[in-house]
Amino acid sequence: MSIVRVLARPMLASSFILSGLDRLRHADQTAKQLSPVLSAAVQALPFATDEKMLARVIGGTQLGAGVMLAAGKFSRLSALLLTLTSTLNAVVEYRSADSSTSEGRTQRRHQLLKNVSLSGGMLLAAVDTAGKPGLAWRAGHLAEAGKKTTRKQLKHADKAVRRVANEVTGS
C-alpha cells in the first residue's frame, strides 16, 4: 500500500468515526435531526423498528465503516457505506439549515459543499483498487484470453480436419 493511502484513508475516515460515535452516544438527538428521512424508512421497512434504533444503526455503520476504511480492510465497501451516510447527512443538514438570513444561507452553502466534498472523496475511495486490477478489468482480460485460446483451438482443429480430409481424398 502506498504512503498516500496509508495516510489518506485514516484522515478521510476520522470525521466519520467521530460522527458515528457522537450519533451512538446521542441517538435521541440524531433521531430528531434525521427524523424526515428516518420516519419514511421506518414505514418502508418490512420489520418493526423505531427512529432511535435506525439512528443507532446509522451511527454504528459510520463508526464501523470508518474504522474499517482507516485500517484498510474492506475499504471499497466501507467507502461506499460512508458515501451513503454522507449523502444522507448532506440532504438532511441542507433541508434543516437556517436560510432566513444571509449568514444562514452562506453557512448552509458551506455545509452543503463540505458534505458534497466528503461524498466525492468517499466515492474516489470506493473505486480505488490500490493499484490492483478491479473485477471489471479482470473479467475483461479473462474473456479476451478465452477468445484467444478458442481461436487457437479452432485454428488447430481446422488444420487437423483439412489434413484428415486431404488424407481421405488423396487415398
Side-chain angles (χ1 to χ4, degrees):
M1 189 182 309
S2 75
I3 190 72
V4 171
R5 285 184 185 88
V6 169
L7 295 174
R9 285 184 178 154
M11 291 169 65
L12 192 55
S14 63
S15 70
F16 291 100
I17 293 169
L18 293 175
S19 177
L21 279 172
D22 190 47
R23 287 182 189 267
L24 284 173
R25 280 191 212 139
H26 309 291
D28 291 327
Q29 184 180 356
T30 300
K32 183 179 175 186
Q33 179 190 16
L34 299 177
S35 182
V37 176
L38 295 182
S39 62
V42 166
Q43 293 173 356
L45 290 173
F47 52 87
T49 189
D50 61 346
E51 292 179 12
K52 187 175 178 181
M53 179 55 73
L54 286 180
R56 284 186 182 132
V57 168
I58 291 170
T61 300
Q62 280 186 315
L63 176 63
V67 168
M68 295 300 279
L69 178 66
K73 304 292 181 197
F74 301 105
S75 56
R76 294 176 74 190
L77 175 63
S78 299
L80 183 62
L81 291 171
L82 292 173
T83 300
L84 294 174
T85 62
S86 177
T87 305
L88 173 71
N89 283 342
V91 169
V92 170
E93 287 178 6
Y94 185 77
R95 292 182 74 196
S96 65
D98 177 34
S99 62
S100 60
T101 65
S102 135
E103 293 170 358
R105 286 189 295 274
T106 302
Q107 183 64 23
R108 180 182 181 191
R109 184 175 54 247
H110 287 295
Q111 192 68 20
L112 177 66
L113 289 174
K114 178 196 70 122
N115 286 328
V116 168
S117 298
L118 277 173
S119 296
M122 283 296 120
L123 281 175
L124 282 173
V127 298
D128 179 31
T129 60
K132 298 175 187 167
L135 290 177
W137 184 89
R138 290 177 191 187
H141 275 66
L142 183 63
E144 191 60 38
K147 286 180 188 177
K148 286 180 182 178
T149 302
T150 303
R151 277 190 228 121
K152 282 183 183 178
Q153 294 298 326
L154 287 174
K155 195 176 199 180
H156 290 299
D158 184 51
K159 285 181 182 179
V161 167
R162 288 177 191 264
R163 187 176 61 243
V164 169
N166 286 336
E167 289 175 5
V168 169
T169 58
S171 310

